[in-house]
Amino acid sequence: MAEATKKAAISITEIKSETAAQRPSNAARASSTGILPGSRRIYVEGSRGIRVPMRAIDLAESKLPEGKTEVNPPIFVYDTSGDFGDPAKTVDITKGLTGLRTPWILGRGDTEDLSGMTSAYGNERAQKAELDAIRFNRTSSIRRAAGKKAVTQLAYARAGIITEEMEFAAIRENNNRRAYEESLRDVSPRSRAFLLQQHRAGHTCFEVPKEVTPEFVRREIAAGRAVIPCNINHPECEPMVIGRSFLTKINANIGNSALTSDISQEVEKMLWATRWGADTVMDLSTGKNIHETREWIVRNSPVPIGTVPMYQALEKVYGKAEALTWELYRDTLIEQAEQGVDYFTIHAGLRLPFIELTAGRLTGIVSRGGSIMAVWCMAHNEENFLWTHFDEICDILAAYDVTVSLGDGLRPGCIHDACDSAQMAELAALGELCRRAQERNVQVIIEGPGHIPLQRVEENAEAEEQLCNAAPFYTLGPLVTDIAPGYDHITSAVGASVIGAAGTAMLCYVTPKEHLGLPDKNDVKDGIITYKIAAHAADLAKGIAGAQIRDNAMSKARFEFRWYDQFNIGFDPEKARSFHDLTLPKESMKTAHFCSMCGPKFCSMAISQNIRKAFGGEAAQQQIVKEAAAGIDSEALATAKANVDNGVVSANVLSPEEILAGMDAMSEKYTAQGGKLYSTAQE
């Protein structure tokens, strides 16, 4: 007995020693937060004391002919960094963020304060003294719906209530566009026309409002076409809306594994992700101390946090899928809901009869959650307990306002398996589950495929809309080819931009390490930036009001050689500047009217400026702007096509022989002057 006690003591000591180093500190905050270069934090005021954070990017003046200047007003962009992106605020990571939504939740008077966690596992972890070294000392109360009420944004929306969350999200969606448009009153008509121009939307068949209002957000939520993931136990979360008629959102995945179990690193990755623009973060931890890791993440996260509860449930039975029970899974749901997780991925649509449909696949079942449930179903020869207990699951989610993200456990894992009977059978089942969840006032997201050939991407978006009543679609990519390991963030972003343009509401990022390993901070950043590009491309295609403002501002800065503005308007100012510094590092080169690629004599932008000066004055340029705003001249286009078809060539067009001769001459000139050009630039 004494020997056993000694061993236990040693074990506890070892745990304390091991875990103390994992406790997050403010060093993580310092290395992973902070406002981006050229930006400042602003707040847009709403009603009821609502203040919505945004990032203002300040721009330099334009230098006009004859020594004149023109002001370029700041542009405003969506900001997901929370208080960590406000230089005026200091966040102590060991205490967490303030509860922005606490007074809103309490003011509705439909929740009750619990004395503590009601989940058995949560209480078990709370009693373990050896975990004190890594425990987050939570001070906020744990709440649940009073009685059997649904305290969800869907329930409020259906009751005609515009919540503070809905107003907050609506203000965010508009990116302070009115203020920007008003600031353009002091610029020239020509510049104003350029900066506000926006191409018509693509073939979207859903409503995209000129301005997002709180009532529009309420209406879309009530119809089940949008969600605001915001657990009542995550009051630190800044509300955001996910839906086809809004800005396309992106999710970043983090999480430890059996090989890496550092809490501090996971918190740092979450902060890093929100700095670069992740709209939500999924904690997919499967290693040690999942409960404690998640508490630290939630308390410091300004964005919604998602999980796959099955992962933690599996850890509780030591990785034996057949040992899972409904009771254990139910307790895990309550545990995570009381911590404040905003949305759960639940693979309830993977039914027993569907498993045999994967027999003809090349890569079988690639979803981790899907494979776990398939093993359980086959081991017991029983229907998926997530399907049979789904109504009870919904009752739990409605009591905390946890959004259900219906997982695609049978998603295709390669191009070969795309759009097969297994995938489509599950999607139809998800449609049934969506209906059942919404009947219980639970907000719903539908998860979508991972590997789809490009020509079938839109088809998948259309199928989801039809089968799932246009509930927000949430897709992993999709990857449009299987042959680019190390570059799957790019192959997936191609599919993501297309499916986003078709109405997919949120895109789950893919990092360069997809299929290869656990991503680090650099991989997280690369994945986020790549998906911000895909999401923005989708917003342009959808015709989101004001989506092109940032592009126009960038183009104007590029044409005017405002290098710092070019860096700062982009998604990654630091990387853009580092690339420019590689060849033109001196400060004097940041005002040069050329780049290292073309040099001072061959810069097309500089040549174009000279053409513009020679072409005419303001009146002539205004006419050009007017014509450009009207779109492509179809008559001129038809004439040009007819000339080509008939072999008609303008007298001003050079022959092929003349073109080749000119190219040879310019090549020789460039070779002769190139060395001198670059040596001069470095001086």
Side-chain angles (χ1 to χ4, degrees), residues 286-328:
T286 58
K288 297 178 182 178
N289 304 315
I290 296 177
H291 180 89
E292 289 70 31
T293 300
R294 184 169 51 246
E295 187 72 39
W296 278 93
I297 290 172
V298 172
R299 301 283 72 84
N300 284 284
S301 176
V303 304
I305 296 297
T307 65
V308 185
M310 183 59 71
Y311 294 173
Q312 187 186 5
L314 188 67
E315 288 299 309
K316 294 176 180 178
V317 294
Y318 307 102
K320 297 179 179 180
E322 62 274 15
L324 287 165
T325 65
W326 158 243
E327 291 73 22
L328 183 145

Short mmCIF file of all heavy atoms in Angstrom, two decimals, residues 286-328:
data_model
loop_
_atom_site.label_atom_id
_atom_site.label_comp_id
_atom_site.label_asym_id
_atom_site.label_seq_id
_atom_site.Cartn_x
_atom_site.Cartn_y
_atom_site.Cartn_z
N THR A 286 -6.94 16.09 -29.91
CA THR A 286 -7.11 14.66 -29.64
C THR A 286 -6.03 14.16 -28.68
O THR A 286 -5.92 12.95 -28.46
CB THR A 286 -7.04 13.84 -30.94
OG1 THR A 286 -5.78 14.09 -31.59
CG2 THR A 286 -8.18 14.21 -31.88
N GLY A 287 -5.24 15.08 -28.12
CA GLY A 287 -4.16 14.68 -27.23
C GLY A 287 -4.53 14.76 -25.77
O GLY A 287 -5.68 14.55 -25.39
N LYS A 288 -3.57 15.16 -24.93
CA LYS A 288 -3.78 15.24 -23.50
C LYS A 288 -4.52 16.53 -23.12
O LYS A 288 -4.49 17.52 -23.83
CB LYS A 288 -2.44 15.21 -22.76
CG LYS A 288 -1.65 13.92 -22.93
CD LYS A 288 -0.33 14.02 -22.19
CE LYS A 288 0.51 12.77 -22.38
NZ LYS A 288 1.83 12.90 -21.68
N ASN A 289 -5.18 16.48 -21.98
CA ASN A 289 -5.76 17.67 -21.36
C ASN A 289 -6.67 18.46 -22.31
O ASN A 289 -6.60 19.69 -22.39
CB ASN A 289 -4.65 18.58 -20.82
CG ASN A 289 -3.72 17.86 -19.86
OD1 ASN A 289 -4.17 17.14 -18.96
ND2 ASN A 289 -2.43 18.02 -20.05
N ILE A 290 -7.53 17.74 -23.02
CA ILE A 290 -8.43 18.38 -23.99
C ILE A 290 -9.34 19.38 -23.28
O ILE A 290 -9.57 20.49 -23.76
CB ILE A 290 -9.26 17.33 -24.73
CG1 ILE A 290 -8.35 16.44 -25.57
CG2 ILE A 290 -10.30 18.00 -25.62
CD1 ILE A 290 -9.08 15.31 -26.29
N HIS A 291 -9.87 19.00 -22.12
CA HIS A 291 -10.80 19.85 -21.38
C HIS A 291 -10.14 21.17 -21.00
O HIS A 291 -10.71 22.25 -21.21
CB HIS A 291 -11.28 19.10 -20.13
CG HIS A 291 -12.24 19.87 -19.29
ND1 HIS A 291 -13.60 19.82 -19.48
CD2 HIS A 291 -12.04 20.72 -18.23
CE1 HIS A 291 -14.20 20.60 -18.59
NE2 HIS A 291 -13.27 21.15 -17.81
N GLU A 292 -8.94 21.09 -20.44
CA GLU A 292 -8.26 22.30 -19.99
C GLU A 292 -7.81 23.16 -21.17
O GLU A 292 -7.88 24.39 -21.12
CB GLU A 292 -7.05 21.92 -19.12
CG GLU A 292 -7.42 21.37 -17.75
CD GLU A 292 -8.04 19.98 -17.82
OE1 GLU A 292 -7.68 19.21 -18.75
OE2 GLU A 292 -8.87 19.65 -16.95
N THR A 293 -7.34 22.51 -22.23
CA THR A 293 -6.94 23.25 -23.43
C THR A 293 -8.10 24.08 -23.97
O THR A 293 -7.96 25.25 -24.29
CB THR A 293 -6.44 22.28 -24.51
OG1 THR A 293 -5.32 21.54 -24.02
CG2 THR A 293 -6.04 23.03 -25.77
N ARG A 294 -9.26 23.45 -24.05
CA ARG A 294 -10.44 24.12 -24.60
C ARG A 294 -10.87 25.31 -23.72
O ARG A 294 -11.27 26.35 -24.24
CB ARG A 294 -11.57 23.12 -24.74
CG ARG A 294 -12.81 23.69 -25.40
CD ARG A 294 -13.80 22.58 -25.75
NE ARG A 294 -14.06 21.73 -24.62
CZ ARG A 294 -13.70 20.43 -24.56
NH1 ARG A 294 -13.09 19.85 -25.54
NH2 ARG A 294 -14.00 19.73 -23.48
N GLU A 295 -10.77 25.17 -22.42
CA GLU A 295 -11.16 26.26 -21.53
C GLU A 295 -10.30 27.50 -21.78
O GLU A 295 -10.82 28.62 -21.86
CB GLU A 295 -11.04 25.82 -20.07
CG GLU A 295 -11.59 26.82 -19.08
CD GLU A 295 -13.11 26.91 -19.09
OE1 GLU A 295 -13.77 25.88 -19.22
OE2 GLU A 295 -13.63 28.04 -18.96
N TRP A 296 -9.00 27.30 -21.91
CA TRP A 296 -8.11 28.42 -22.20
C TRP A 296 -8.45 29.07 -23.55
O TRP A 296 -8.45 30.30 -23.68
CB TRP A 296 -6.66 27.94 -22.21
CG TRP A 296 -6.03 27.82 -20.87
CD1 TRP A 296 -5.98 26.68 -20.08
CD2 TRP A 296 -5.37 28.84 -20.13
NE1 TRP A 296 -5.32 26.95 -18.92
CE2 TRP A 296 -4.93 28.27 -18.92
CE3 TRP A 296 -5.10 30.18 -20.37
CZ2 TRP A 296 -4.24 28.99 -17.95
CZ3 TRP A 296 -4.40 30.93 -19.42
CH2 TRP A 296 -3.99 30.33 -18.23
N ILE A 297 -8.74 28.26 -24.53
CA ILE A 297 -9.04 28.78 -25.86
C ILE A 297 -10.33 29.59 -25.85
O ILE A 297 -10.38 30.73 -26.34
CB ILE A 297 -9.13 27.62 -26.88
CG1 ILE A 297 -7.75 27.02 -27.12
CG2 ILE A 297 -9.73 28.11 -28.20
CD1 ILE A 297 -7.77 25.75 -27.96
N VAL A 298 -11.39 29.04 -25.27
CA VAL A 298 -12.69 29.70 -25.28
C VAL A 298 -12.64 31.03 -24.53
O VAL A 298 -13.17 32.05 -24.99
CB VAL A 298 -13.78 28.79 -24.68
CG1 VAL A 298 -15.10 29.56 -24.50
CG2 VAL A 298 -14.02 27.57 -25.56
N ARG A 299 -12.00 31.04 -23.37
CA ARG A 299 -11.96 32.26 -22.55
C ARG A 299 -11.18 33.39 -23.21
O ARG A 299 -11.36 34.56 -22.86
CB ARG A 299 -11.37 31.97 -21.17
CG ARG A 299 -12.11 30.91 -20.34
CD ARG A 299 -13.40 31.46 -19.71
NE ARG A 299 -14.48 31.71 -20.61
CZ ARG A 299 -15.36 30.78 -21.02
NH1 ARG A 299 -15.21 29.51 -20.62
NH2 ARG A 299 -16.35 31.11 -21.83
N ASN A 300 -10.35 33.08 -24.17
CA ASN A 300 -9.55 34.10 -24.83
C ASN A 300 -9.92 34.31 -26.30
O ASN A 300 -9.24 35.06 -27.00
CB ASN A 300 -8.06 33.75 -24.74
CG ASN A 300 -7.48 34.02 -23.37
OD1 ASN A 300 -7.23 35.17 -22.98
ND2 ASN A 300 -7.27 32.95 -22.60
N SER A 301 -11.00 33.68 -26.75
CA SER A 301 -11.35 33.75 -28.16
C SER A 301 -12.42 34.79 -28.44
O SER A 301 -13.54 34.70 -27.91
CB SER A 301 -11.83 32.39 -28.67
OG SER A 301 -12.25 32.50 -30.03
N PRO A 302 -12.15 35.75 -29.35
CA PRO A 302 -13.18 36.71 -29.76
C PRO A 302 -14.07 36.19 -30.89
O PRO A 302 -14.99 36.86 -31.30
CB PRO A 302 -12.35 37.91 -30.24
CG PRO A 302 -11.10 37.28 -30.79
CD PRO A 302 -10.83 36.06 -29.94
N VAL A 303 -13.77 34.98 -31.39
CA VAL A 303 -14.55 34.39 -32.47
C VAL A 303 -15.20 33.09 -31.99
O VAL A 303 -14.77 32.50 -31.00
CB VAL A 303 -13.68 34.11 -33.72
CG1 VAL A 303 -12.98 35.38 -34.18
CG2 VAL A 303 -12.66 33.00 -33.45
N PRO A 304 -16.25 32.62 -32.68
CA PRO A 304 -16.88 31.36 -32.30
C PRO A 304 -15.89 30.20 -32.34
O PRO A 304 -15.05 30.12 -33.24
CB PRO A 304 -17.98 31.18 -33.35
CG PRO A 304 -18.27 32.57 -33.84
CD PRO A 304 -16.96 33.28 -33.81
N ILE A 305 -16.02 29.30 -31.37
CA ILE A 305 -15.19 28.10 -31.29
C ILE A 305 -16.05 26.88 -31.60
O ILE A 305 -17.14 26.71 -31.04
CB ILE A 305 -14.56 27.95 -29.89
CG1 ILE A 305 -13.61 29.12 -29.61
CG2 ILE A 305 -13.81 26.62 -29.77
CD1 ILE A 305 -12.42 29.22 -30.54
N GLY A 306 -15.55 26.04 -32.49
CA GLY A 306 -16.23 24.80 -32.82
C GLY A 306 -15.40 23.60 -32.38
O GLY A 306 -14.19 23.69 -32.21
N THR A 307 -16.07 22.47 -32.19
CA THR A 307 -15.39 21.22 -31.84
C THR A 307 -16.09 20.06 -32.53
O THR A 307 -17.19 20.19 -33.06
CB THR A 307 -15.39 20.94 -30.32
OG1 THR A 307 -16.75 20.72 -29.89
CG2 THR A 307 -14.76 22.08 -29.55
N VAL A 308 -15.44 18.91 -32.46
CA VAL A 308 -16.06 17.63 -32.81
C VAL A 308 -16.12 16.83 -31.51
O VAL A 308 -15.13 16.19 -31.14
CB VAL A 308 -15.27 16.88 -33.89
CG1 VAL A 308 -16.02 15.61 -34.31
CG2 VAL A 308 -15.01 17.77 -35.10
N PRO A 309 -17.23 16.88 -30.78
CA PRO A 309 -17.29 16.23 -29.47
C PRO A 309 -16.88 14.76 -29.48
O PRO A 309 -16.39 14.24 -28.48
CB PRO A 309 -18.75 16.40 -29.05
CG PRO A 309 -19.22 17.63 -29.79
CD PRO A 309 -18.50 17.57 -31.11
N MET A 310 -17.08 14.09 -30.62
CA MET A 310 -16.74 12.68 -30.71
C MET A 310 -15.26 12.44 -30.44
O MET A 310 -14.87 11.39 -29.90
CB MET A 310 -17.11 12.14 -32.09
CG MET A 310 -16.87 10.65 -32.28
SD MET A 310 -17.78 9.65 -31.08
CE MET A 310 -19.45 9.88 -31.70
N TYR A 311 -14.40 13.40 -30.82
CA TYR A 311 -12.97 13.21 -30.60
C TYR A 311 -12.66 13.06 -29.12
O TYR A 311 -11.90 12.18 -28.71
CB TYR A 311 -12.17 14.39 -31.17
CG TYR A 311 -12.21 14.53 -32.67
CD1 TYR A 311 -11.65 15.65 -33.27
CD2 TYR A 311 -12.81 13.58 -33.47
CE1 TYR A 311 -11.66 15.80 -34.65
CE2 TYR A 311 -12.84 13.72 -34.86
CZ TYR A 311 -12.27 14.84 -35.43
OH TYR A 311 -12.30 14.99 -36.80
N GLN A 312 -13.23 13.94 -28.30
CA GLN A 312 -12.98 13.85 -26.87
C GLN A 312 -13.65 12.63 -26.27
O GLN A 312 -13.08 11.97 -25.39
CB GLN A 312 -13.45 15.11 -26.14
CG GLN A 312 -13.03 15.10 -24.68
CD GLN A 312 -13.59 16.27 -23.88
OE1 GLN A 312 -14.40 17.06 -24.39
NE2 GLN A 312 -13.20 16.40 -22.63
N ALA A 313 -14.86 12.30 -26.74
CA ALA A 313 -15.54 11.10 -26.25
C ALA A 313 -14.69 9.86 -26.49
O ALA A 313 -14.61 8.97 -25.64
CB ALA A 313 -16.91 10.97 -26.92
N LEU A 314 -14.05 9.81 -27.65
CA LEU A 314 -13.21 8.66 -27.97
C LEU A 314 -12.01 8.57 -27.03
O LEU A 314 -11.60 7.47 -26.64
CB LEU A 314 -12.75 8.74 -29.43
CG LEU A 314 -12.02 7.51 -29.97
CD1 LEU A 314 -12.97 6.33 -30.08
CD2 LEU A 314 -11.41 7.81 -31.35
N GLU A 315 -11.45 9.72 -26.67
CA GLU A 315 -10.33 9.73 -25.73
C GLU A 315 -10.76 9.17 -24.38
O GLU A 315 -9.97 8.53 -23.68
CB GLU A 315 -9.79 11.16 -25.56
CG GLU A 315 -9.04 11.69 -26.76
CD GLU A 315 -7.81 10.87 -27.10
OE1 GLU A 315 -6.99 10.63 -26.18
OE2 GLU A 315 -7.68 10.43 -28.26
N LYS A 316 -12.00 9.40 -23.99
CA LYS A 316 -12.49 8.92 -22.70
C LYS A 316 -12.60 7.40 -22.63
O LYS A 316 -12.63 6.83 -21.55
CB LYS A 316 -13.85 9.57 -22.40
CG LYS A 316 -13.77 11.08 -22.19
CD LYS A 316 -15.15 11.68 -21.99
CE LYS A 316 -15.07 13.19 -21.79
NZ LYS A 316 -16.42 13.82 -21.65
N VAL A 317 -12.68 6.75 -23.81
CA VAL A 317 -12.72 5.28 -23.84
C VAL A 317 -11.43 4.74 -24.43
O VAL A 317 -11.38 3.64 -24.98
CB VAL A 317 -13.94 4.75 -24.62
CG1 VAL A 317 -15.22 5.10 -23.89
CG2 VAL A 317 -13.98 5.32 -26.04
N TYR A 318 -10.34 5.54 -24.32
CA TYR A 318 -8.99 5.13 -24.71
C TYR A 318 -8.88 4.70 -26.17
O TYR A 318 -8.16 3.76 -26.52
CB TYR A 318 -8.50 4.02 -23.77
CG TYR A 318 -8.60 4.39 -22.31
CD1 TYR A 318 -9.64 3.90 -21.54
CD2 TYR A 318 -7.69 5.25 -21.74
CE1 TYR A 318 -9.77 4.25 -20.20
CE2 TYR A 318 -7.81 5.61 -20.40
CZ TYR A 318 -8.85 5.12 -19.64
OH TYR A 318 -8.97 5.47 -18.31
N GLY A 319 -9.64 5.39 -27.02
CA GLY A 319 -9.53 5.17 -28.46
C GLY A 319 -10.29 3.97 -28.99
O GLY A 319 -10.16 3.64 -30.17
N LYS A 320 -11.10 3.32 -28.18
CA LYS A 320 -11.86 2.15 -28.62
C LYS A 320 -13.26 2.58 -29.04
O LYS A 320 -14.15 2.76 -28.19
CB LYS A 320 -11.92 1.10 -27.50
CG LYS A 320 -10.55 0.56 -27.11
CD LYS A 320 -10.67 -0.46 -26.00
CE LYS A 320 -9.30 -1.03 -25.61
NZ LYS A 320 -9.40 -2.03 -24.51
N ALA A 321 -13.46 2.72 -30.34
CA ALA A 321 -14.73 3.24 -30.85
C ALA A 321 -15.92 2.38 -30.43
O ALA A 321 -17.00 2.90 -30.13
CB ALA A 321 -14.67 3.34 -32.38
N GLU A 322 -15.72 1.08 -30.39
CA GLU A 322 -16.84 0.18 -30.04
C GLU A 322 -17.28 0.35 -28.60
O GLU A 322 -18.39 -0.07 -28.21
CB GLU A 322 -16.46 -1.27 -30.31
CG GLU A 322 -15.28 -1.80 -29.49
CD GLU A 322 -13.94 -1.51 -30.12
OE1 GLU A 322 -13.87 -0.66 -31.05
OE2 GLU A 322 -12.95 -2.16 -29.71
N ALA A 323 -16.43 0.99 -27.75
CA ALA A 323 -16.77 1.18 -26.34
C ALA A 323 -17.58 2.46 -26.08
O ALA A 323 -18.02 2.70 -24.96
CB ALA A 323 -15.49 1.21 -25.50
N LEU A 324 -17.79 3.25 -27.11
CA LEU A 324 -18.56 4.48 -26.96
C LEU A 324 -20.00 4.16 -26.57
O LEU A 324 -20.57 3.14 -26.98
CB LEU A 324 -18.55 5.26 -28.27
CG LEU A 324 -17.25 5.96 -28.65
CD1 LEU A 324 -17.28 6.38 -30.11
CD2 LEU A 324 -17.00 7.17 -27.75
N THR A 325 -20.59 5.06 -25.79
CA THR A 325 -22.00 4.93 -25.42
C THR A 325 -22.68 6.27 -25.58
O THR A 325 -22.03 7.33 -25.56
CB THR A 325 -22.17 4.47 -23.96
OG1 THR A 325 -21.66 5.49 -23.08
CG2 THR A 325 -21.44 3.15 -23.71
N TRP A 326 -24.01 6.23 -25.74
CA TRP A 326 -24.77 7.47 -25.83
C TRP A 326 -24.60 8.29 -24.54
O TRP A 326 -24.43 9.50 -24.60
CB TRP A 326 -26.25 7.18 -26.09
CG TRP A 326 -27.15 8.30 -25.69
CD1 TRP A 326 -28.11 8.30 -24.72
CD2 TRP A 326 -27.15 9.63 -26.22
NE1 TRP A 326 -28.71 9.52 -24.62
CE2 TRP A 326 -28.13 10.38 -25.53
CE3 TRP A 326 -26.39 10.29 -27.21
CZ2 TRP A 326 -28.40 11.70 -25.80
CZ3 TRP A 326 -26.65 11.63 -27.47
CH2 TRP A 326 -27.64 12.32 -26.78
N GLU A 327 -24.61 7.65 -23.40
CA GLU A 327 -24.53 8.36 -22.13
C GLU A 327 -23.22 9.13 -22.01
O GLU A 327 -23.20 10.29 -21.57
CB GLU A 327 -24.67 7.37 -20.96
CG GLU A 327 -26.05 6.77 -20.80
CD GLU A 327 -26.39 5.73 -21.86
OE1 GLU A 327 -25.42 5.18 -22.47
OE2 GLU A 327 -27.59 5.46 -22.08
N LEU A 328 -22.11 8.50 -22.42
CA LEU A 328 -20.81 9.18 -22.37
C LEU A 328 -20.79 10.36 -23.36
O LEU A 328 -20.28 11.44 -23.03
CB LEU A 328 -19.70 8.18 -22.68
CG LEU A 328 -18.26 8.70 -22.60
CD1 LEU A 328 -17.34 7.62 -22.06
CD2 LEU A 328 -17.76 9.16 -23.96
#
